[in-house]
Amino acid sequence: MNVLVAEDDKDIALSYKLALERHNHVVSITYNGTDCITQYRNVYQSIKDRVAPDRDQKLNKKDNPSPFDVVVLDYKMPDKDGMEVAKEILHINQQQRIIFASAYVIETLKDSVKELNRVVELLQKPFTMEAFVSTIEDNEAYEGLKMLMVNIRDIEARKQRRKKKDVQTHTPSEEQIKSLFEGLRKIQKHRTF
């Protein structure tokens, strides 16, 4: 697998890199959000140029290249935080798999629903390198997230109905977040939270 990691703590980033490389993964490390987005864009563009050399050519969903199998983002980073980075990456490529490493999994889950309109995979800090590698390698969890997206679409539909009525934008209720959180835990096999 080809993995992009954004982690501002250099020692933690190095431990991620070493753990993944021991399992034969190719790892790119960035230490802030801006560098992560720059690297993502550069690799994405180089792949896109090979797939669709005509710059004006639009790629269909099936042909949209994912430069990395997974992007791991530290939730709290200086410069641009993980959520801002995720927004920009998903704007470039909606199909990109993203995992947040966060000590604040409930806050991260709420923000991902509110800001990204999707549920993302979570790793609650601190976690073992075994749990980290296992999560990266677990493609079934990513497929399971698609089922949880039905709940997100329901929340988004309610937000849109409320906007039409000029009522404040609806954020997910605690009950909805709890339900999503439990669904995510099951999908991720209770690995890290």
Side-chain angles (χ1 to χ4, degrees):
M1 286 188 145
N2 193 0
V3 182
L4 174 60
V5 175
E7 170 60 61
D8 62 316
D9 183 309
K10 291 183 180 187
D11 291 334
I12 292 173
L14 179 61
S15 67
Y16 291 172
K17 182 175 176 64
L18 294 173
L20 288 169
E21 286 177 343
R22 275 194 297 272
H23 288 84
N24 299 315
H25 299 293
V26 176
V27 184
S28 300
I29 299 289
T30 60
Y31 301 105
N32 63 62
T34 301
D35 289 346
C36 181
I37 292 165
T38 299
Q39 183 162 353
Y40 189 90
R41 273 197 185 110
N42 291 342
V43 175
Y44 178 85
Q45 190 60 52
S46 69
I47 292 171
K48 185 179 173 195
D49 289 346
R50 283 193 308 252
V51 173
D54 179 2
R55 289 221 179 252
D56 296 328
Q57 180 181 350
K58 296 280 186 195
L59 296 176
N60 64 36
K61 206 177 203 181
K62 184 183 82 166
D63 293 331
N64 198 14
S66 283
F68 299 94
D69 296 300
V70 64
V71 176
V72 179
L73 300 172
D74 186 7
Y75 181 65
K76 301 275 187 189
M77 289 187 288
D79 187 18
K80 287 188 180 218
D81 67 23
M83 198 59 63
E84 292 170 305
V85 174
K87 276 185 197 178
E88 290 195 41
I89 286 174
L90 292 172
H91 180 73
I92 296 167
N93 180 8
Q94 291 182 344
Q95 309 308 312
Q96 182 59 61
R97 180 181 177 203
I98 293 176
I99 299 174
F100 277 101
S102 174
Y104 316 96
V105 290
I106 296 292
E107 179 182 336
T108 306
L109 180 59
K110 284 180 184 178
D111 284 352
S112 77
V113 172
K114 185 177 175 184
E115 301 292 326
L116 305 175
N117 292 323
R118 71 185 324 166
V119 177
V120 294
E121 292 174 79
L122 302 170
L123 283 163
Q124 184 171 21
K125 289 182 174 183
F127 48 81
T128 65
M129 286 302 111
E130 180 181 310
F132 177 68
V133 172
S134 179
T135 300
I136 299 292
E137 293 177 343
D138 186 1
N139 288 322
E140 289 177 24
Y142 183 58
E143 292 301 316
L145 284 178
K146 292 176 184 174
M147 291 183 289
L148 286 180
M149 290 306 293
V150 172
N151 291 337
I152 297 301
R153 288 186 194 106
D154 180 51
I155 292 168
E156 185 59 27
R158 283 190 220 154
K159 278 171 51 175
Q160 295 304 320
R161 285 193 300 270
R162 289 177 188 263
K163 280 183 183 179
K164 288 178 183 175
K165 294 178 183 178
D166 290 324
V167 177
Q168 283 186 352
T169 301
H170 176 70
T171 56
S173 69
E174 290 299 318
E175 184 177 308
Q176 288 168 322
I177 290 296
K178 183 178 178 183
S179 174
L180 290 172
F181 186 72
E182 287 306 314
L184 189 58
R185 284 182 65 174
K186 287 176 187 169
I187 288 169
Q188 289 188 250
K189 301 173 180 100
H190 300 277
R191 204 175 278 118
T192 63
F193 53 88

